[in-house]
């Protein structure tokens, strides 16, 4: 029997949502690669294991309670009350009623997608939020912290916020009238606030600010660049598919606008930041080892522009996204420098990207969104939205700023309360931070017993040069009572780069003895 039009539409929209969910998963992998390439090599494996741990833990937490809180049936203004651990979930039990408040209109409906695919997509968002936030804890956080943090974020903090904004009867979206299409506040600001609070409690990495402020550079630009490509790919999908629909002229138009606006905002933000940073450096002329990590920071500025445009990516005209991206780069630059000024150590600038972009993005929405929207049948409906640019004289346009203020305040307060309590408890129990020895010699080996790279190129001594040590050699006892070398003997320059000690060997000698004068000379050249 031939499929009906309704069945075809359901299949198309279900596949559209499934595809989006898979891309969001790749986006999370991209964030992991940015983090892994942006830290020192002795801790790279730890960041990869962290993502694996978050993936496992968040899946169970979101399945047990998170999805029920967010989109459970029989919802009220605070939380959902059904589908705990997928109980009686799906059309098989006559409960397909996973209703979400779409960002495009005031109709409470699932738009014909399969409930299980809807669960899959929203779980991927919960995984994304948690993984982004945890990236700020790199190079110094204990493994149990990630488990407890993930349970709290994906099981309680994020699901409640999604219900309030996108749930069928959520008070923030359905009653107050706030909007956040792609999650500038609900996804990214939430992650940024959690990252900032956790980073404050963990404290800076050893050598980051004492005895002097010194960047601890990441070990692999190629890995970071691959991660950036995957994250940008995810933004293109996430910022254009939040309606969960693609059928109909109006929805196709919105998807196209989301793609173009995300591209323009990210490109403008990245270009603006790079030029500004070069101008600042040409004026201040800092020492070579004190210069900004231009590649990673430019990548982060691009992401900040994409975060900022997310709140209304499908509702902006392209020229608006260029302005949003320009201001996003300034926001990122200010937040980044502020955190450094306050000596808050965020290894890959997670908080600066997602707080700077998220805050600006949620306030840009009532200013720039165009006055057009789709009807439920997929055709255009004019004059649906009010915005300051297009209807500056109407009070309803300015009310959007109050809604955005309410959204930002709720996200910040709700996230801050839970994450602060968790980290206070962990700090009291002395479960937060690894020891200085583990941090410098490598969390990979101390916490996991396996390095990300071969020991011969393993940066086991990154940072110890800051304390006046130029050579790191770890020895351990053997069964015969002798000593064996467990780490390679290496030397670090002021930027944290590693140079094999063999380079300085007396090549004319027979024993390969170290030429200490050459080592000292190298380090003296790199001192401030």
């Amino acid at each position: 029997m031939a499929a009906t039009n309704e069945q075809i539409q359901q299949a198309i929209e279900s596949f559209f949502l499934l595809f989006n969910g898979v891309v969001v998963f790749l986006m999370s992998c991209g964030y992991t690669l940015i983090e892994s390439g942006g830290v020192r090599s002795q801790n790279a494996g730890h960041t990869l294991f962290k993502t694996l741990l978050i993936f496992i833990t968040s899946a169970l937490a979101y399945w047990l309670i998170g999805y029920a809180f967010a989109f459970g049936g029989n919802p009220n203004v605070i939380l959902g009350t059904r589908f705990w651990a997928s109980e009686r979930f799906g059309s098989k039990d006559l409960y397909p009623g996973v209703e979400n408040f779409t960002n495009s209109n005031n109709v409470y409906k699932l738009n014909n997608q399969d409930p299980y695919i809807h669960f899959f997509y929203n779980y991927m968002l919960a995984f994304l939020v948690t993984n982004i936030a945890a990236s700020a804890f790199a190079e110094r956080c204990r493994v149990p912290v990630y488990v407890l943090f993930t349970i709290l974020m994906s099981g309680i903090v994020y699901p409640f916020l999604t219900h309030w904004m996108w749930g069928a009867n959520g008070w923030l979206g359905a009653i107050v009238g706030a909007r956040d299409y792609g999650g500038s506040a609900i996804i990214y600001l939430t992650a940024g606030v959690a990252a900032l609070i956790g980073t404050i409690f963990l404290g800076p990495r050893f050598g980051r600010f004492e005895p002097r402020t010194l960047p601890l550079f990441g070990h692999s630009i190629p890995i970071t660049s691959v991660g950036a490509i995957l994250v940008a790919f995810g933004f293109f999908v996430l910022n254009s598919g939040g309606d969960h629909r693609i059928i109909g002229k109006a929805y196709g138009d919105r998807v196209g606008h989301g793609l173009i606006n995300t591209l323009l905002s990210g490109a403008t933000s990245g270009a603006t930041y790079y030029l500004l940073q070069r101008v600042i450096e040409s004026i201040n002329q800092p020492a070579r080892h004190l210069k900004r990590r231009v590649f990673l920071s430019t990548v982060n500025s691009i992401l900040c522009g994409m975060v900022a445009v997310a709140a209304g990516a499908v509702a902006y005209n392209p020229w608006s996204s260029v302005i949003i991206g320009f201001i996003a780069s300034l926001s990122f630059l200010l937040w980044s420098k502020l955190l450094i000024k306050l000596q808050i150590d965020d290894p890959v600038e997670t908080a600066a990207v997602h707080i700077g972009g998220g805050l600006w993005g949620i306030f840009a929405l009532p200013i720039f969104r165009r006055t057009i929207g789709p009807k439920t049948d997929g055709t255009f409906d004019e004059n649906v939205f009010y915005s300051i640019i297009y209807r500056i004289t109407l009070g309803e346009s300015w009310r959007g700023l109050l809604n955005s203020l309410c959204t930002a305040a709720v996200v910040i307060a709700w996230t801050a309360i839970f994450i602060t309590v968790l980290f206070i408890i962990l700090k009291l129990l002395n479960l937060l931070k690894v020891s200085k020895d583990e941090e410098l010699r490598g969390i990979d080996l101390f916490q996991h017993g396996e390095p990300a790279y071969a020991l011969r190129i393993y940066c086991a001594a990154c940072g110890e040069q800051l304390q006046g040590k130029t050579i790191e050699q770890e020895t351990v006892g053997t069964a015969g009572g002798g000593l064996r070398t467990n780490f390679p003997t290496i030397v670090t320059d002021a930027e944290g780069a590693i140079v094999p000690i063999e380079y300085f060997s007396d090549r004319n000698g027979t024993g390969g003895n170290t030429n200490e004068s050459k080592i000292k000379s190298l380090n003296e050249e790199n001192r401030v």
Side-chain angles (χ1 to χ4, degrees):
M1 186 175 71
T4 64
N5 289 337
E6 183 179 354
Q7 290 172 331
I8 294 174
Q9 178 180 348
Q10 180 182 8
I12 293 174
E13 292 183 350
S14 292
F15 180 78
F16 180 63
L17 195 61
L18 173 63
F19 172 78
N20 290 353
V22 172
V23 174
V24 173
F25 177 73
L26 294 177
M27 183 180 182
S28 295
C29 296
Y31 271 108
T32 300
L33 291 177
I34 291 176
E35 178 188 357
S36 180
V39 301
R40 293 165 293 176
S41 59
Q42 74 263 40
N43 300 318
H46 181 66
T47 66
L48 301 174
F49 181 80
K50 175 266 301 180
T51 299
L52 181 63
L53 196 64
I54 291 175
F55 175 70
I56 296 170
T57 309
S58 62
L60 296 175
Y62 197 74
W63 173 69
L64 285 171
I65 60 175
Y67 186 80
F69 284 142
F71 299 107
N74 299 325
N76 53 55
V77 297
I78 303 298
L79 75 164
T81 58
R82 202 165 59 183
F83 307 142
W84 311 102
S86 298
E87 181 184 8
R88 296 178 63 81
F89 180 62
S91 56
K92 177 181 177 181
D93 293 303
L94 301 180
Y95 280 159
V98 183
E99 298 177 339
N100 69 294
F101 182 74
T102 64
N103 290 280
S104 56
N105 53 62
N106 295 335
V107 177
Y108 303 114
K109 58 189 297 185
L110 183 59
N111 300 325
N112 292 325
Q113 295 109 3
D114 180 85
Y116 289 102
I117 295 178
H118 187 261
F119 169 87
F120 173 78
Y121 173 80
N122 283 283
Y123 158 67
M124 286 303 168
L125 294 182
F127 172 45
L128 175 67
V129 171
T130 308
N131 196 35
I132 291 174
S135 65
F137 312 156
E139 298 203 87
R140 60 207 190 278
C141 188
R142 292 183 181 273
V143 170
V145 176
Y146 292 123
V147 177
L148 297 175
F149 177 77
T150 300
I151 294 173
L152 187 63
M153 282 292 291
S154 60
I156 297 176
V157 174
Y158 174 70
F160 272 84
L161 291 173
T162 56
H163 180 79
W164 296 345
M165 177 63 74
W166 299 321
N169 297 312
W171 67 270
L172 194 57
I175 297 176
V176 174
R179 295 290 183 272
D180 185 8
Y181 178 84
S184 286
I186 301 301
I187 296 177
Y188 305 111
L189 182 58
T190 300
V193 172
L196 177 61
I197 294 173
T199 300
I200 291 173
F201 276 96
L202 282 166
R205 293 166 292 173
F206 181 76
R208 179 65 178 91
F209 298 111
E210 295 294 340
R212 57 205 167 119
T213 299
L214 185 69
L216 300 178
F217 288 84
H219 78 283
S220 178
I221 287 179
I223 292 177
T224 300
S225 63
V226 173
I229 292 171
L230 289 176
V231 173
F233 182 37
F235 270 110
F236 289 136
V237 170
L238 200 55
N239 287 3
S240 62
D243 287 321
H244 302 175
R245 295 190 65 177
I246 195 171
I247 296 177
K249 291 182 178 180
Y251 288 104
D253 176 85
R254 286 165 70 84
V255 170
H257 268 83
L259 292 171
I260 297 301
N261 289 335
T262 301
L263 174 65
L264 292 176
S265 182
T268 303
S269 181
T272 303
Y273 174 85
Y274 181 79
L275 293 175
L276 283 175
Q277 188 58 41
R278 286 307 188 191
V279 170
I280 292 173
E281 288 184 351
S282 67
I283 295 174
N284 296 334
Q285 296 184 345
R288 177 173 62 92
H289 63 279
L290 292 178
K291 287 185 177 181
R292 297 275 296 175
R293 299 174 294 179
V294 176
F295 181 83
L296 179 60
S297 294
T298 303
V299 165
N300 283 334
S301 183
I302 294 172
L303 301 185
C304 187
M306 293 181 172
V307 166
V309 82
V314 298
Y316 296 137
N317 282 316
W319 63 266
S320 300
S321 64
V322 172
I323 298 176
I324 292 171
F326 175 79
I327 298 177
S329 68
L330 303 180
S331 178
F332 167 68
L333 183 63
L334 292 175
W335 273 95
S336 180
K337 291 189 176 296
L338 174 63
L339 295 184
I340 294 175
K341 188 73 173 179
L342 297 175
Q343 294 195 344
I344 297 174
D345 183 17
D346 187 350
V348 288
E349 301 177 305
T350 302
V353 171
H354 297 93
I355 294 179
L359 272 178
W360 160 235
I362 197 64
F363 285 102
L365 178 62
I367 299 175
F368 291 103
R369 65 185 175 191
R370 56 181 183 158
T371 55
I372 190 171
K375 296 181 181 179
T376 56
D377 62 359
T379 59
F380 289 100
D381 185 15
E382 300 289 341
N383 300 326
V384 173
F385 296 129
Y386 297 91
S387 62
I388 295 174
I389 288 293
Y390 294 101
R391 294 184 171 185
I392 192 172
T393 59
L394 296 182
E396 188 67 22
S397 299
W398 292 90
R399 181 187 172 189
L401 288 178
L402 296 178
N403 291 342
S404 295
L405 178 62
C406 178
T407 301
V410 167
V411 168
I412 293 172
W414 178 258
T415 306
I417 289 171
F418 280 93
I419 304 304
T420 300
V421 170
L422 172 65
F423 275 84
I424 287 176
I425 295 173
L426 291 172
K427 192 174 184 66
L428 292 175
L429 296 175
N430 197 28
L431 295 175
L432 270 183
K433 196 173 182 179
V434 301
S435 67
K436 181 181 76 173
D437 200 42
E438 291 177 279
E439 181 184 331
L440 294 178
R441 300 172 190 267
I443 299 177
D444 289 5
L445 285 177
F446 277 80
Q447 292 283 324
H448 307 291
E450 49 187 347
Y453 302 99
L455 284 177
R456 187 165 184 80
I457 60 172
Y458 196 63
C459 185
C462 284
E464 289 213 18
Q465 186 264 346
L466 299 176
Q467 295 300 306
K469 298 180 181 179
T470 59
I471 303 176
E472 166 63 21
Q473 186 172 22
E474 176 72 13
T475 57
V476 296
T478 62
L483 296 176
R484 65 178 176 84
T485 300
N486 194 40
F487 290 94
T489 306
I490 59 178
V491 62
T492 63
D493 69 12
E495 290 190 10
I498 59 173
V499 182
I501 199 69
E502 289 83 354
Y503 179 81
F504 303 100
S505 300
D506 182 3
R507 298 180 182 180
N508 295 324
T510 57
N513 295 324
T514 302
N515 189 331
E516 295 186 3
S517 63
K518 292 183 180 180
I519 299 174
K520 293 179 180 179
S521 175
L522 171 71
N523 287 287
E524 288 298 328
E525 290 177 3
N526 289 312
R527 294 183 186 277
V528 177

